[in-house]
Amino acid sequence: MKDNFVLVFDIGSLKLRASLAKKGLNNTFNTRGFKEYEYDGFYQGEFIMPERLSLIFEQIVQELDALPSRELDKVYIGVPAEFSSVLRTDVSINFGMRRKIKQADIDSLFYMAGEKAKNSAVEVVSVSPISYNLDEGRITFEPLGETASSITASLSVVYADKKFIDLFNNIIAGLGFESVEYISEPLSQALYIIPKEKREDLSLLIDVGDLTTSISFVKGNGLYALTSFSRGGGFITNDLAEAFDLSMNEADKLKKQIVLSLKGKPSDCYELSADLGKIIRIPLVSANEVVSYRIDELSEVISKCVQMNTREYMSYLPIYLTGAGITKIKGGRDYLGKGLGRNVNYGKPPLPGKDKPELASIFSLLNYALSSNNK
């Protein structure tokens, strides 16, 4: 099993990505195929054209030459934040005497949390540890081999909407694969992008896509809290189109030229080639204001989430930004950081030549799938 390829799908709000790969040298990936497919996407937790998904998946599988076989009988699918929810729960075991903690004890805690968290409208995707409390006082992130008479685990249970699971179960079954495993996209990103030492206290992961944004609070190896809402880089493109009477294609060209750090004079303009070939001049100051408005809106939502999920406004809270919604706007990350009053880091896959924030989701899912497959 260790050397087998895995097939992973990343369900974006505008693009579907798929990768067929296995582990390479030095924690890299040996990729046999990679596909990116623009589709109708989803908005406010609903797929816009769900009936088209089966054909898209079939086309991707054929183009990757990833047909079901004895070596490739399983598919991994990332569950976006808009179809997810998180529950934190504490479960305990009292041993009655001091002894070393075994893997079976940890497995029992996870099982108890999964059973406790069952809900008919959702399915449990993962149970992950935030921290462990030994003998009601000693906090640890690595309890195996420790000696204690009792252990309490603070665990994070990630759910996926039953409708999402049913939809993709049917699609994968129709393709002839034997099984499908669902992976929390925000959790896989958190574990792959954020260094372990930064997760000992709260960290924040912001993934801004085209039509959706997720805000994940991360601690230990689990999601402490998760929020998502239907706003993203596509809204900025739409705002530019409306403000300056542009087509969406022209607005996208303008967005690629925006530099938010430029102050500019009233006479300064961005120049772009219109769909009909003529040159359009757009006032720099006005265009920057349109883009800034949406990022300000995002800053306000993030700040409220921080206040709701932390006991105090934590100035040292590490923040990581992924997705293409803001990271591809020149000066976008810094402008977001200014609005939040703190530094924002790019969340990049630790892969030479592929360390781009917009690739964080697919490579995080791939890393998680390969780790799961090897187990």
Side-chain angles (χ1 to χ4, degrees):
M1 286 290 287
K2 274 195 172 183
D3 294 327
N4 282 1
F5 283 87
V6 296
L7 177 59
V8 175
F9 285 91
D10 177 16
I11 315 295
S13 59
L14 184 68
K15 293 178 181 177
L16 278 172
R17 289 193 180 110
S19 181
L20 182 65
K22 65 179 181 179
K23 279 284 186 186
L25 297 173
N26 301 319
N27 295 318
T28 60
F29 303 123
N30 179 0
T31 304
R32 198 171 87 189
F34 182 92
K35 287 289 175 184
E36 186 173 82
Y37 195 102
E38 198 161 304
Y39 75 127
D40 300 290
F42 59 82
Y43 180 68
Q44 293 186 342
E46 296 286 342
F47 284 96
I48 295 166
M49 296 281 281
E51 64 276 9
R52 293 190 58 204
L53 284 169
S54 292
L55 287 174
I56 295 170
F57 267 65
E58 185 177 347
Q59 183 178 334
I60 291 173
V61 166
Q62 288 176 350
E63 290 179 2
L64 288 175
D65 191 22
L67 299 174
S69 65
R70 191 173 65 180
E71 289 76 27
L72 188 66
D73 60 0
K74 183 177 184 178
V75 173
Y76 295 85
I77 292 180
V79 183
E82 279 214 27
F83 300 92
S84 307
S85 52
V86 170
L87 171 74
R88 293 196 313 273
T89 185
D90 291 347
V91 288
S92 303
I93 298 176
N94 194 320
F95 304 129
M97 56 181 286
R98 287 180 63 80
R99 66 165 175 82
K100 282 193 174 182
I101 296 167
K102 306 170 186 175
Q103 183 61 50
D105 301 321
I106 307 301
D107 293 342
S108 294
L109 290 165
F110 279 35
Y111 176 78
M112 290 161 61
E115 288 296 302
K116 184 177 176 182
K118 276 188 175 178
N119 184 312
S120 60
V122 293
E123 285 198 13
V124 173
V125 171
S126 67
V127 179
S128 307
I130 293 173
S131 64
Y132 298 91
N133 192 324
L134 307 182
D135 293 337
E136 298 182 358
R138 198 152 42 100
I139 304 294
T140 182
F141 297 98
E142 304 285 350
L144 277 180
E146 294 275 1
T147 300
S149 58
S150 67
I151 178 171
T152 297
S154 178
L155 300 175
S156 166
V157 182
V158 179
Y159 295 115
D161 292 353
K162 195 77 165 55
K163 290 189 297 182
F164 181 95
I165 299 292
D166 290 343
L167 173 63
F168 288 98
N169 276 353
N170 290 332
I171 291 171
I172 300 306
L175 292 171
F177 290 95
E178 288 185 12
S179 63
V180 56
E181 182 174 332
Y182 294 93
I183 302 170
S184 166
E185 186 187 294
L187 177 61
S188 68
Q189 282 200 59
L191 298 180
Y192 192 52
I193 298 301
I194 304 177
K196 192 174 182 179
E197 65 273 12
K198 297 292 186 183
R199 290 187 266 116
E200 290 186 358
D201 213 326
L202 275 183
S203 288
L204 187 59
L205 176 66
I206 304 163
D207 183 353
V208 185
D210 195 73
L211 300 176
T212 187
T213 292
S214 67
I215 302 168
S216 309
F217 290 86
V218 186
K219 188 172 183 181
N221 286 331
L223 295 181
Y224 186 84
L226 177 66
T227 300
S228 66
F229 56 99
S230 293
R231 288 288 186 277
F235 286 78
I236 295 174
T237 311
N238 191 65
D239 289 347
L240 289 169
E242 289 188 359
F244 304 108
D245 195 22
L246 304 173
S247 70
M248 290 300 285
N249 183 53
E250 291 165 345
D252 192 54
K253 287 181 184 177
L254 174 58
K255 188 169 75 169
K256 289 174 181 174
Q257 288 194 39
I258 297 289
V259 182
L260 288 180
S261 57
L262 293 177
K263 298 300 178 189
K265 301 190 288 283
S267 59
D268 290 336
C269 292
Y270 293 111
E271 291 188 354
L272 62 137
S273 176
D275 294 339
L276 298 177
K278 67 176 183 177
I279 300 300
I280 303 176
R281 291 170 57 83
I282 306 292
L284 182 148
V285 174
S286 300
N288 282 13
E289 284 177 352
V290 170
V291 176
S292 300
Y293 172 81
R294 281 291 180 189
I295 300 179
D296 286 337
E297 181 184 56
L298 179 59
S299 297
E300 289 178 18
V301 175
I302 295 169
S303 294
K304 286 177 183 174
C305 286
V306 170
Q307 290 167 9
M308 286 170 57
N309 290 287
T310 59
R311 291 179 182 173
E312 55 188 45
Y313 197 72
M314 299 165 63
S315 59
Y316 57 86
L317 182 70
I319 300 179
Y320 297 84
L321 176 66
T322 65
I326 288 180
T327 61
K328 300 197 83 161
I329 297 172
K330 299 178 188 73
R333 177 195 63 166
D334 293 336
Y335 189 85
L336 178 65
K338 185 180 176 183
L340 295 173
R342 56 186 77 218
N343 290 329
V344 175
N345 308 289
Y346 284 127
K348 299 184 288 188
L351 296 168
K354 297 172 182 174
D355 52 344
K356 298 176 181 177
E358 64 267 28
L359 296 176
S361 57
I362 183 63
F363 287 120
S364 297
L365 290 169
L366 192 54
N367 180 69
Y368 199 103
L370 285 165
S371 299
S372 175
N373 190 57
N374 289 348
K375 288 178 184 175

Short mmCIF file of all heavy atoms in Angstrom, two decimals, residues 244-298:
data_model
loop_
_atom_site.label_atom_id
_atom_site.label_comp_id
_atom_site.label_asym_id
_atom_site.label_seq_id
_atom_site.Cartn_x
_atom_site.Cartn_y
_atom_site.Cartn_z
N PHE A 244 -16.97 50.29 -12.86
CA PHE A 244 -16.37 50.93 -14.04
C PHE A 244 -16.98 50.43 -15.36
O PHE A 244 -16.39 50.63 -16.42
CB PHE A 244 -14.85 50.72 -14.03
CG PHE A 244 -14.21 51.21 -12.76
CD1 PHE A 244 -13.71 50.33 -11.82
CD2 PHE A 244 -14.15 52.58 -12.49
CE1 PHE A 244 -13.13 50.78 -10.63
CE2 PHE A 244 -13.58 53.05 -11.32
CZ PHE A 244 -13.07 52.15 -10.38
N ASP A 245 -18.15 49.78 -15.25
CA ASP A 245 -18.89 49.32 -16.43
C ASP A 245 -18.00 48.45 -17.33
O ASP A 245 -17.87 48.68 -18.54
CB ASP A 245 -19.42 50.52 -17.22
CG ASP A 245 -20.50 50.11 -18.23
OD1 ASP A 245 -21.11 49.04 -18.04
OD2 ASP A 245 -20.69 50.84 -19.22
N LEU A 246 -17.42 47.43 -16.73
CA LEU A 246 -16.53 46.52 -17.44
C LEU A 246 -17.17 45.14 -17.56
O LEU A 246 -18.06 44.79 -16.79
CB LEU A 246 -15.20 46.36 -16.68
CG LEU A 246 -14.41 47.63 -16.36
CD1 LEU A 246 -13.23 47.29 -15.45
CD2 LEU A 246 -13.92 48.30 -17.64
N SER A 247 -16.72 44.37 -18.52
CA SER A 247 -17.10 42.95 -18.56
C SER A 247 -16.33 42.24 -17.44
O SER A 247 -15.34 42.78 -16.90
CB SER A 247 -16.73 42.33 -19.91
OG SER A 247 -15.32 42.23 -20.05
N MET A 248 -16.74 41.02 -17.10
CA MET A 248 -16.03 40.29 -16.04
C MET A 248 -14.59 39.99 -16.46
O MET A 248 -13.68 39.99 -15.63
CB MET A 248 -16.77 38.99 -15.72
CG MET A 248 -18.11 39.21 -15.02
SD MET A 248 -17.96 40.08 -13.44
CE MET A 248 -17.29 38.76 -12.41
N ASN A 249 -14.38 39.76 -17.75
CA ASN A 249 -13.02 39.51 -18.25
C ASN A 249 -12.16 40.76 -18.11
O ASN A 249 -11.00 40.69 -17.67
CB ASN A 249 -13.08 39.07 -19.72
CG ASN A 249 -11.71 38.74 -20.27
OD1 ASN A 249 -10.98 37.94 -19.70
ND2 ASN A 249 -11.36 39.36 -21.39
N GLU A 250 -12.73 41.91 -18.44
CA GLU A 250 -11.99 43.18 -18.29
C GLU A 250 -11.72 43.48 -16.82
O GLU A 250 -10.63 43.94 -16.46
CB GLU A 250 -12.79 44.32 -18.93
CG GLU A 250 -12.86 44.24 -20.45
CD GLU A 250 -13.94 45.14 -21.05
OE1 GLU A 250 -14.82 45.62 -20.27
OE2 GLU A 250 -13.91 45.36 -22.27
N ALA A 251 -12.71 43.22 -15.98
CA ALA A 251 -12.54 43.47 -14.54
C ALA A 251 -11.45 42.58 -13.96
O ALA A 251 -10.69 42.99 -13.08
CB ALA A 251 -13.87 43.22 -13.82
N ASP A 252 -11.36 41.34 -14.45
CA ASP A 252 -10.31 40.43 -13.97
C ASP A 252 -8.93 40.94 -14.40
O ASP A 252 -7.97 40.87 -13.61
CB ASP A 252 -10.56 39.03 -14.54
CG ASP A 252 -9.69 37.99 -13.86
OD1 ASP A 252 -9.73 37.91 -12.61
OD2 ASP A 252 -8.95 37.26 -14.56
N LYS A 253 -8.84 41.48 -15.62
CA LYS A 253 -7.57 42.07 -16.06
C LYS A 253 -7.19 43.24 -15.17
O LYS A 253 -6.02 43.41 -14.80
CB LYS A 253 -7.69 42.56 -17.51
CG LYS A 253 -7.72 41.47 -18.56
CD LYS A 253 -7.82 42.12 -19.94
CE LYS A 253 -7.94 41.07 -21.04
NZ LYS A 253 -8.10 41.73 -22.38
N LEU A 254 -8.19 44.07 -14.83
CA LEU A 254 -7.92 45.22 -13.95
C LEU A 254 -7.46 44.75 -12.58
O LEU A 254 -6.50 45.30 -12.03
CB LEU A 254 -9.19 46.08 -13.84
CG LEU A 254 -9.14 47.25 -12.84
CD1 LEU A 254 -8.00 48.21 -13.18
CD2 LEU A 254 -10.48 47.99 -12.80
N LYS A 255 -8.13 43.73 -12.03
CA LYS A 255 -7.76 43.24 -10.69
C LYS A 255 -6.31 42.79 -10.65
O LYS A 255 -5.62 42.99 -9.64
CB LYS A 255 -8.71 42.11 -10.28
CG LYS A 255 -8.53 41.67 -8.83
CD LYS A 255 -9.63 40.74 -8.37
CE LYS A 255 -9.48 39.35 -8.92
NZ LYS A 255 -10.41 38.40 -8.27
N LYS A 256 -5.85 42.19 -11.74
CA LYS A 256 -4.46 41.72 -11.79
C LYS A 256 -3.46 42.87 -11.81
O LYS A 256 -2.29 42.68 -11.49
CB LYS A 256 -4.25 40.83 -13.02
CG LYS A 256 -4.94 39.48 -12.90
CD LYS A 256 -4.85 38.67 -14.18
CE LYS A 256 -5.57 37.33 -14.01
NZ LYS A 256 -5.62 36.57 -15.29
N GLN A 257 -3.91 44.07 -12.19
CA GLN A 257 -3.02 45.23 -12.21
C GLN A 257 -3.01 46.00 -10.88
O GLN A 257 -2.07 46.76 -10.62
CB GLN A 257 -3.45 46.20 -13.32
CG GLN A 257 -3.17 45.73 -14.72
CD GLN A 257 -3.30 46.87 -15.72
OE1 GLN A 257 -2.90 48.01 -15.45
NE2 GLN A 257 -3.87 46.57 -16.87
N ILE A 258 -4.04 45.80 -10.08
CA ILE A 258 -4.19 46.59 -8.84
C ILE A 258 -2.96 46.42 -7.94
O ILE A 258 -2.45 45.32 -7.73
CB ILE A 258 -5.44 46.14 -8.06
CG1 ILE A 258 -6.72 46.40 -8.85
CG2 ILE A 258 -5.50 46.79 -6.67
CD1 ILE A 258 -7.09 47.85 -8.99
N VAL A 259 -2.47 47.55 -7.43
CA VAL A 259 -1.39 47.55 -6.42
C VAL A 259 -1.90 48.42 -5.27
O VAL A 259 -1.91 49.65 -5.36
CB VAL A 259 -0.06 48.10 -6.97
CG1 VAL A 259 1.02 48.02 -5.90
CG2 VAL A 259 0.36 47.35 -8.22
N LEU A 260 -2.32 47.78 -4.18
CA LEU A 260 -2.98 48.52 -3.10
C LEU A 260 -2.03 49.43 -2.33
O LEU A 260 -2.47 50.36 -1.65
CB LEU A 260 -3.64 47.53 -2.13
CG LEU A 260 -4.89 46.83 -2.66
CD1 LEU A 260 -5.44 45.88 -1.61
CD2 LEU A 260 -5.96 47.84 -3.06
N SER A 261 -0.73 49.19 -2.44
CA SER A 261 0.22 50.05 -1.71
C SER A 261 0.45 51.39 -2.42
O SER A 261 1.04 52.30 -1.83
CB SER A 261 1.56 49.31 -1.56
OG SER A 261 2.07 48.94 -2.84
N LEU A 262 -0.01 51.49 -3.67
CA LEU A 262 0.15 52.75 -4.39
C LEU A 262 -0.89 53.77 -3.93
O LEU A 262 -2.08 53.49 -3.93
CB LEU A 262 -0.01 52.53 -5.90
CG LEU A 262 1.07 51.70 -6.61
CD1 LEU A 262 0.71 51.52 -8.07
CD2 LEU A 262 2.44 52.36 -6.47
N LYS A 263 -0.43 54.95 -3.55
CA LYS A 263 -1.36 56.01 -3.16
C LYS A 263 -1.91 56.70 -4.40
O LYS A 263 -3.10 56.82 -4.59
CB LYS A 263 -0.65 57.02 -2.24
CG LYS A 263 -0.15 56.42 -0.94
CD LYS A 263 -1.28 55.84 -0.12
CE LYS A 263 -0.74 55.21 1.17
NZ LYS A 263 -1.78 54.46 1.88
N GLY A 264 -1.01 57.14 -5.27
CA GLY A 264 -1.43 57.70 -6.54
C GLY A 264 -1.98 59.11 -6.45
O GLY A 264 -2.46 59.56 -5.41
N LYS A 265 -1.92 59.80 -7.59
CA LYS A 265 -2.51 61.14 -7.71
C LYS A 265 -3.85 61.00 -8.42
O LYS A 265 -4.11 59.98 -9.08
CB LYS A 265 -1.57 62.05 -8.51
CG LYS A 265 -0.18 62.21 -7.89
CD LYS A 265 0.60 63.30 -8.60
CE LYS A 265 1.03 62.87 -9.99
NZ LYS A 265 2.18 61.97 -10.01
N PRO A 266 -4.72 61.99 -8.33
CA PRO A 266 -6.04 61.91 -9.00
C PRO A 266 -5.94 61.61 -10.49
O PRO A 266 -6.85 61.02 -11.07
CB PRO A 266 -6.65 63.28 -8.75
CG PRO A 266 -6.00 63.76 -7.49
CD PRO A 266 -4.60 63.21 -7.52
N SER A 267 -4.82 62.00 -11.12
CA SER A 267 -4.68 61.80 -12.56
C SER A 267 -4.12 60.41 -12.93
O SER A 267 -4.11 60.03 -14.10
CB SER A 267 -3.75 62.87 -13.14
OG SER A 267 -2.48 62.82 -12.50
N ASP A 268 -3.63 59.65 -11.93
CA ASP A 268 -3.04 58.34 -12.20
C ASP A 268 -4.10 57.32 -12.59
O ASP A 268 -5.21 57.31 -12.01
CB ASP A 268 -2.27 57.83 -10.99
CG ASP A 268 -0.99 58.62 -10.73
OD1 ASP A 268 -0.49 59.23 -11.70
OD2 ASP A 268 -0.53 58.64 -9.58
N CYS A 269 -3.77 56.47 -13.55
CA CYS A 269 -4.74 55.48 -14.05
C CYS A 269 -4.09 54.11 -14.27
O CYS A 269 -2.88 54.01 -14.48
CB CYS A 269 -5.34 55.94 -15.38
SG CYS A 269 -6.40 57.40 -15.26
N TYR A 270 -4.93 53.10 -14.20
CA TYR A 270 -4.55 51.78 -14.70
C TYR A 270 -5.02 51.71 -16.16
O TYR A 270 -6.11 52.18 -16.48
CB TYR A 270 -5.24 50.66 -13.91
CG TYR A 270 -4.80 50.53 -12.47
CD1 TYR A 270 -5.67 50.85 -11.43
CD2 TYR A 270 -3.53 50.07 -12.16
CE1 TYR A 270 -5.29 50.71 -10.11
CE2 TYR A 270 -3.12 49.94 -10.83
CZ TYR A 270 -4.00 50.27 -9.81
OH TYR A 270 -3.61 50.12 -8.50
N GLU A 271 -4.21 51.11 -17.01
CA GLU A 271 -4.59 50.96 -18.41
C GLU A 271 -4.74 49.48 -18.74
O GLU A 271 -3.89 48.67 -18.37
CB GLU A 271 -3.54 51.59 -19.33
CG GLU A 271 -3.49 53.10 -19.25
CD GLU A 271 -2.58 53.71 -20.31
OE1 GLU A 271 -1.91 52.93 -21.03
OE2 GLU A 271 -2.54 54.95 -20.41
N LEU A 272 -5.81 49.14 -19.44
CA LEU A 272 -6.00 47.75 -19.83
C LEU A 272 -6.65 47.68 -21.20
O LEU A 272 -7.35 48.60 -21.62
CB LEU A 272 -6.85 46.99 -18.80
CG LEU A 272 -8.27 47.47 -18.55
CD1 LEU A 272 -9.22 46.28 -18.47
CD2 LEU A 272 -8.34 48.26 -17.24
N SER A 273 -6.39 46.55 -21.84
CA SER A 273 -6.95 46.32 -23.16
C SER A 273 -8.36 45.76 -23.01
O SER A 273 -8.58 44.73 -22.36
CB SER A 273 -6.07 45.34 -23.93
OG SER A 273 -6.64 45.02 -25.17
N ALA A 274 -9.35 46.44 -23.62
CA ALA A 274 -10.75 46.01 -23.52
C ALA A 274 -10.99 44.80 -24.41
O ALA A 274 -10.17 44.44 -25.26
CB ALA A 274 -11.67 47.16 -23.92
N ASP A 275 -12.14 44.17 -24.24
CA ASP A 275 -12.49 42.99 -25.03
C ASP A 275 -12.51 43.31 -26.52
O ASP A 275 -12.23 42.45 -27.36
CB ASP A 275 -13.87 42.45 -24.60
CG ASP A 275 -13.85 41.91 -23.18
OD1 ASP A 275 -12.74 41.59 -22.69
OD2 ASP A 275 -14.93 41.80 -22.57
N LEU A 276 -12.86 44.55 -26.88
CA LEU A 276 -12.94 44.94 -28.29
C LEU A 276 -11.64 45.53 -28.80
O LEU A 276 -11.56 46.02 -29.93
CB LEU A 276 -14.09 45.94 -28.49
CG LEU A 276 -15.48 45.42 -28.15
CD1 LEU A 276 -16.53 46.51 -28.31
CD2 LEU A 276 -15.83 44.23 -29.06
N GLY A 277 -10.60 45.51 -27.97
CA GLY A 277 -9.28 45.92 -28.43
C GLY A 277 -8.83 47.31 -28.04
O GLY A 277 -7.64 47.61 -28.05
N LYS A 278 -9.76 48.20 -27.69
CA LYS A 278 -9.34 49.56 -27.34
C LYS A 278 -8.75 49.59 -25.92
O LYS A 278 -8.94 48.66 -25.12
CB LYS A 278 -10.52 50.53 -27.44
CG LYS A 278 -11.62 50.29 -26.42
CD LYS A 278 -12.70 51.37 -26.55
CE LYS A 278 -13.76 51.17 -25.47
NZ LYS A 278 -14.79 52.23 -25.50
N ILE A 279 -8.04 50.66 -25.62
CA ILE A 279 -7.41 50.81 -24.31
C ILE A 279 -8.35 51.58 -23.38
O ILE A 279 -8.88 52.64 -23.74
CB ILE A 279 -6.06 51.56 -24.42
CG1 ILE A 279 -5.08 50.79 -25.32
CG2 ILE A 279 -5.45 51.77 -23.03
CD1 ILE A 279 -4.74 49.39 -24.82
N ILE A 280 -8.58 51.01 -22.19
CA ILE A 280 -9.43 51.65 -21.18
C ILE A 280 -8.54 52.19 -20.07
O ILE A 280 -7.60 51.52 -19.62
CB ILE A 280 -10.43 50.65 -20.57
CG1 ILE A 280 -11.28 50.00 -21.66
CG2 ILE A 280 -11.32 51.31 -19.53
CD1 ILE A 280 -12.22 48.92 -21.14
N ARG A 281 -8.84 53.41 -19.63
CA ARG A 281 -8.10 54.01 -18.51
C ARG A 281 -9.03 54.08 -17.29
O ARG A 281 -10.12 54.67 -17.37
CB ARG A 281 -7.60 55.40 -18.89
CG ARG A 281 -6.49 55.36 -19.95
CD ARG A 281 -6.18 56.76 -20.51
NE ARG A 281 -5.79 57.70 -19.47
CZ ARG A 281 -4.56 57.81 -18.97
NH1 ARG A 281 -3.59 57.03 -19.44
NH2 ARG A 281 -4.29 58.70 -18.05
N ILE A 282 -8.59 53.49 -16.20
CA ILE A 282 -9.38 53.45 -14.96
C ILE A 282 -8.64 54.22 -13.88
O ILE A 282 -7.46 53.95 -13.62
CB ILE A 282 -9.60 51.99 -14.49
CG1 ILE A 282 -10.21 51.14 -15.59
CG2 ILE A 282 -10.43 51.96 -13.21
CD1 ILE A 282 -11.63 51.49 -15.97
N PRO A 283 -9.28 55.19 -13.23
CA PRO A 283 -8.61 55.95 -12.16
C PRO A 283 -8.04 55.03 -11.07
O PRO A 283 -8.76 54.19 -10.52
CB PRO A 283 -9.72 56.84 -11.60
CG PRO A 283 -10.71 56.95 -12.71
CD PRO A 283 -10.67 55.66 -13.45
N LEU A 284 -6.75 55.18 -10.80
CA LEU A 284 -6.06 54.32 -9.84
C LEU A 284 -6.67 54.41 -8.45
O LEU A 284 -6.93 53.39 -7.80
CB LEU A 284 -4.57 54.68 -9.81
CG LEU A 284 -3.66 53.86 -8.89
CD1 LEU A 284 -2.26 53.75 -9.49
CD2 LEU A 284 -3.56 54.46 -7.48
N VAL A 285 -6.89 55.64 -7.98
CA VAL A 285 -7.40 55.83 -6.63
C VAL A 285 -8.77 55.17 -6.46
O VAL A 285 -9.04 54.48 -5.47
CB VAL A 285 -7.47 57.33 -6.26
CG1 VAL A 285 -8.14 57.53 -4.91
CG2 VAL A 285 -6.07 57.93 -6.24
N SER A 286 -9.64 55.37 -7.43
CA SER A 286 -11.00 54.81 -7.36
C SER A 286 -10.97 53.28 -7.39
O SER A 286 -11.69 52.62 -6.64
CB SER A 286 -11.84 55.33 -8.53
OG SER A 286 -11.96 56.73 -8.50
N ALA A 287 -10.15 52.70 -8.27
CA ALA A 287 -10.06 51.25 -8.38
C ALA A 287 -9.54 50.64 -7.08
O ALA A 287 -10.05 49.63 -6.58
CB ALA A 287 -9.17 50.85 -9.55
N ASN A 288 -8.52 51.27 -6.50
CA ASN A 288 -7.97 50.76 -5.23
C ASN A 288 -9.00 50.84 -4.11
O ASN A 288 -9.07 49.96 -3.24
CB ASN A 288 -6.72 51.56 -4.84
CG ASN A 288 -5.50 51.12 -5.63
OD1 ASN A 288 -5.61 50.39 -6.63
ND2 ASN A 288 -4.32 51.55 -5.22
N GLU A 289 -9.83 51.89 -4.14
CA GLU A 289 -10.87 52.03 -3.11
C GLU A 289 -11.91 50.91 -3.21
O GLU A 289 -12.39 50.40 -2.20
CB GLU A 289 -11.56 53.39 -3.24
CG GLU A 289 -10.74 54.55 -2.71
CD GLU A 289 -11.41 55.89 -2.93
OE1 GLU A 289 -12.45 55.93 -3.64
OE2 GLU A 289 -10.90 56.90 -2.41
N VAL A 290 -12.26 50.52 -4.44
CA VAL A 290 -13.23 49.45 -4.64
C VAL A 290 -12.70 48.15 -4.05
O VAL A 290 -13.42 47.42 -3.35
CB VAL A 290 -13.54 49.27 -6.15
CG1 VAL A 290 -14.36 48.00 -6.39
CG2 VAL A 290 -14.30 50.49 -6.68
N VAL A 291 -11.44 47.84 -4.33
CA VAL A 291 -10.83 46.60 -3.82
C VAL A 291 -10.68 46.67 -2.30
O VAL A 291 -10.97 45.71 -1.58
CB VAL A 291 -9.46 46.35 -4.48
CG1 VAL A 291 -8.79 45.12 -3.89
CG2 VAL A 291 -9.64 46.18 -5.99
N SER A 292 -10.25 47.81 -1.81
CA SER A 292 -10.04 47.98 -0.36
C SER A 292 -11.33 47.77 0.42
O SER A 292 -11.31 47.23 1.53
CB SER A 292 -9.48 49.37 -0.07
OG SER A 292 -8.24 49.56 -0.71
N TYR A 293 -12.45 48.20 -0.15
CA TYR A 293 -13.74 48.09 0.54
C TYR A 293 -14.03 46.64 0.91
O TYR A 293 -14.44 46.34 2.03
CB TYR A 293 -14.86 48.65 -0.34
CG TYR A 293 -16.24 48.39 0.21
CD1 TYR A 293 -16.78 49.20 1.21
CD2 TYR A 293 -17.00 47.31 -0.25
CE1 TYR A 293 -18.04 48.94 1.74
CE2 TYR A 293 -18.26 47.04 0.27
CZ TYR A 293 -18.78 47.86 1.26
OH TYR A 293 -20.02 47.60 1.78
N ARG A 294 -13.85 45.72 -0.05
CA ARG A 294 -14.13 44.31 0.21
C ARG A 294 -13.18 43.71 1.25
O ARG A 294 -13.56 42.90 2.08
CB ARG A 294 -14.04 43.50 -1.07
CG ARG A 294 -15.25 43.62 -1.96
CD ARG A 294 -16.47 42.93 -1.36
NE ARG A 294 -17.62 43.07 -2.25
CZ ARG A 294 -18.84 42.73 -1.93
NH1 ARG A 294 -19.10 42.25 -0.73
NH2 ARG A 294 -19.83 42.87 -2.78
N ILE A 295 -11.90 44.11 1.20
CA ILE A 295 -10.94 43.58 2.17
C ILE A 295 -11.22 44.14 3.56
O ILE A 295 -11.08 43.43 4.57
CB ILE A 295 -9.49 43.86 1.71
CG1 ILE A 295 -9.24 43.20 0.34
CG2 ILE A 295 -8.49 43.32 2.74
CD1 ILE A 295 -7.86 43.43 -0.22
N ASP A 296 -11.67 45.40 3.62
CA ASP A 296 -12.09 45.97 4.90
C ASP A 296 -13.26 45.18 5.49
O ASP A 296 -13.31 44.92 6.70
CB ASP A 296 -12.51 47.44 4.73
CG ASP A 296 -11.33 48.37 4.53
OD1 ASP A 296 -10.22 48.01 4.93
OD2 ASP A 296 -11.53 49.46 3.94
N GLU A 297 -14.19 44.81 4.63
CA GLU A 297 -15.34 44.01 5.06
C GLU A 297 -14.88 42.68 5.66
O GLU A 297 -15.36 42.25 6.71
CB GLU A 297 -16.25 43.75 3.84
CG GLU A 297 -17.50 42.95 4.15
CD GLU A 297 -18.29 42.64 2.88
OE1 GLU A 297 -17.73 42.05 1.93
OE2 GLU A 297 -19.49 42.99 2.85
N LEU A 298 -13.91 42.05 5.01
CA LEU A 298 -13.36 40.78 5.50
C LEU A 298 -12.64 40.99 6.84
O LEU A 298 -12.79 40.17 7.77
CB LEU A 298 -12.40 40.21 4.46
CG LEU A 298 -11.71 38.89 4.81
CD1 LEU A 298 -12.73 37.78 5.07
CD2 LEU A 298 -10.76 38.47 3.68
#
